[in-house]
Amino acid sequence: QVQLVESGGGLVQPGGSLRLSCAASGTFFSIDAMGWYRQAPGKQRELVATINSGGSTKYADSVKGRFTISRDNAKNTVYLEMSSLKPEDTAVYYCNGAFRSRYSAPYYEYWGQGTQVTVSS
Protein backbone atom coordinates (compact mmCIF):
# COMPACT_ATOMS: atom_id res chain seq x y z
CA GLN A 1 0.00 0.00 0.00
CA VAL A 2 1.16 3.52 -0.82
CA GLN A 3 0.42 6.70 1.07
CA LEU A 4 0.91 10.22 -0.26
CA VAL A 5 0.90 13.02 2.29
CA GLU A 6 0.81 16.64 1.18
CA SER A 7 1.89 19.61 3.25
CA GLY A 8 2.58 23.30 2.82
CA GLY A 9 -0.80 24.69 1.91
CA GLY A 10 -2.30 27.75 3.54
CA LEU A 11 -3.47 31.30 3.10
CA VAL A 12 -1.30 33.69 1.11
CA GLN A 13 -1.79 37.15 -0.33
CA PRO A 14 -1.86 37.74 -4.09
CA GLY A 15 1.67 37.89 -5.41
CA GLY A 16 2.95 35.69 -2.62
CA SER A 17 4.63 32.30 -2.66
CA LEU A 18 4.07 28.86 -1.21
CA ARG A 19 5.90 25.56 -1.40
CA LEU A 20 3.94 22.31 -1.39
CA SER A 21 5.50 18.98 -0.53
CA CYS A 22 4.23 15.46 -1.06
CA ALA A 23 5.98 12.52 0.54
CA ALA A 24 5.32 8.95 -0.54
CA SER A 25 5.57 6.10 1.92
CA GLY A 26 4.64 2.45 2.06
CA THR A 27 5.70 -0.57 0.06
CA PHE A 28 6.62 -0.09 -3.59
CA PHE A 29 9.38 -0.98 -6.03
CA SER A 30 9.57 2.22 -8.05
CA ILE A 31 7.80 5.48 -8.87
CA ASP A 32 7.18 6.72 -12.38
CA ALA A 33 5.57 10.10 -12.93
CA MET A 34 4.45 12.28 -10.05
CA GLY A 35 2.35 15.37 -10.27
CA TRP A 36 0.12 18.00 -8.81
CA TYR A 37 -3.52 18.58 -9.63
CA ARG A 38 -5.98 21.07 -8.23
CA GLN A 39 -9.69 21.42 -7.83
CA ALA A 40 -11.44 24.70 -7.21
CA PRO A 41 -15.01 24.88 -5.85
CA GLY A 42 -17.51 23.98 -8.55
CA LYS A 43 -14.81 23.01 -11.03
CA GLN A 44 -13.27 19.78 -12.24
CA ARG A 45 -9.89 18.61 -11.06
CA GLU A 46 -7.19 19.85 -13.42
CA LEU A 47 -3.56 19.13 -14.07
CA VAL A 48 -1.10 21.65 -12.63
CA ALA A 49 2.28 20.04 -13.29
CA THR A 50 3.91 16.64 -13.70
CA ILE A 51 7.45 15.32 -13.55
CA ASN A 52 8.58 11.93 -14.74
CA SER A 53 11.28 9.70 -13.29
CA GLY A 54 13.84 11.28 -15.58
CA GLY A 55 12.99 14.79 -14.49
CA SER A 56 11.04 15.95 -17.54
CA THR A 57 8.29 18.35 -16.61
CA LYS A 58 4.95 19.49 -17.97
CA TYR A 59 2.87 22.46 -16.84
CA ALA A 60 -0.61 23.81 -17.34
CA ASP A 61 -0.50 27.00 -19.38
CA SER A 62 -2.06 28.91 -16.50
CA VAL A 63 0.93 28.26 -14.22
CA LYS A 64 3.87 28.31 -16.64
CA GLY A 65 6.56 30.68 -15.47
CA ARG A 66 5.08 30.89 -11.97
CA PHE A 67 5.15 27.31 -10.66
CA THR A 68 8.06 24.87 -10.57
CA ILE A 69 7.74 21.16 -9.94
CA SER A 70 10.68 19.10 -8.70
CA ARG A 71 11.31 15.78 -7.03
CA ASP A 72 13.80 14.20 -4.67
CA ASN A 73 13.94 10.53 -5.61
CA ALA A 74 15.98 9.64 -2.53
CA LYS A 75 13.19 10.99 -0.34
CA ASN A 76 10.31 9.85 -2.57
CA THR A 77 9.06 13.42 -2.43
CA VAL A 78 7.68 15.81 -5.01
CA TYR A 79 7.53 19.58 -4.55
CA LEU A 80 5.60 22.44 -6.08
CA GLU A 81 7.09 25.89 -5.75
CA MET A 82 4.38 28.46 -6.40
CA SER A 83 5.10 32.14 -6.87
CA SER A 84 3.22 35.19 -8.10
CA LEU A 85 0.09 33.55 -6.78
CA LYS A 86 -3.28 34.78 -7.98
CA PRO A 87 -6.75 34.45 -6.46
CA GLU A 88 -7.63 32.04 -9.27
CA ASP A 89 -4.97 29.66 -7.95
CA THR A 90 -7.19 29.05 -4.94
CA ALA A 91 -8.02 25.35 -4.83
CA VAL A 92 -7.37 22.08 -3.09
CA TYR A 93 -4.08 20.77 -4.43
CA TYR A 94 -3.67 17.02 -4.79
CA CYS A 95 -0.51 15.01 -5.20
CA ASN A 96 -0.51 12.07 -7.60
CA GLY A 97 1.98 9.35 -8.38
CA ALA A 98 2.33 6.16 -10.41
CA PHE A 99 3.80 3.29 -8.40
CA ARG A 100 4.58 -0.31 -9.06
CA SER A 101 5.01 -3.04 -6.48
CA ARG A 102 7.76 -5.00 -8.24
CA TYR A 103 9.81 -5.06 -11.41
CA SER A 104 7.65 -5.52 -14.53
CA ALA A 105 4.43 -5.06 -12.56
CA PRO A 106 1.96 -2.49 -13.90
CA TYR A 107 1.92 1.01 -12.50
CA TYR A 108 -1.01 2.08 -10.36
CA GLU A 109 -1.97 5.64 -9.54
CA TYR A 110 -2.35 6.89 -6.00
CA TRP A 111 -3.65 10.22 -4.71
CA GLY A 112 -3.02 12.24 -1.63
CA GLN A 113 -5.77 13.71 0.53
CA GLY A 114 -5.19 17.23 -0.72
CA THR A 115 -4.04 20.49 0.81
CA GLN A 116 -5.92 23.78 0.64
CA VAL A 117 -4.29 26.79 -0.97
CA THR A 118 -6.13 30.06 -0.61
CA VAL A 119 -4.92 33.24 -2.30
CA SER A 120 -6.68 36.25 -0.90
CA SER A 121 -6.00 39.67 0.51
Side-chain angles (χ1 to χ4, degrees):
Q1 192 69 8
V2 174
Q3 295 82 42
L4 293 171
V5 178
E6 302 105 333
S7 60
L11 173 64
V12 63
Q13 291 188 340
S17 300
L18 278 177
R19 185 195 199 206
L20 305 183
S21 300
C22 172
S25 62
T27 304
F28 50 88
F29 175 76
S30 64
I31 310 174
D32 191 18
M34 299 188 79
W36 291 94
Y37 293 72
R38 67 186 180 187
Q39 187 166 18
K43 295 187 176 181
Q44 290 190 332
R45 191 173 297 188
E46 63 176 2
L47 169 72
V48 176
T50 62
I51 182 167
N52 68 16
S53 57
S56 295
T57 59
K58 182 188 301 183
Y59 295 92
D61 287 343
S62 59
V63 307
K64 282 181 182 176
R66 300 188 298 121
F67 291 11
T68 301
I69 189 170
S70 62
R71 64 193 282 173
D72 184 334
N73 292 328
K75 296 181 179 180
N76 297 322
T77 299
V78 63
Y79 305 96
L80 186 68
E81 297 272 3
M82 305 184 293
S83 61
S84 302
L85 282 161
K86 306 174 182 180
E88 50 264 43
D89 294 318
T90 296
V92 178
Y93 283 70
Y94 297 91
C95 175
N96 167 277
F99 297 77
R100 60 179 177 179
S101 59
R102 61 186 186 280
Y103 181 75
S104 78
Y107 283 98
Y108 290 97
E109 284 195 358
Y110 291 85
W111 292 88
Q113 297 279 57
T115 185
Q116 177 70 46
V117 172
T118 302
V119 184
S120 175
S121 55

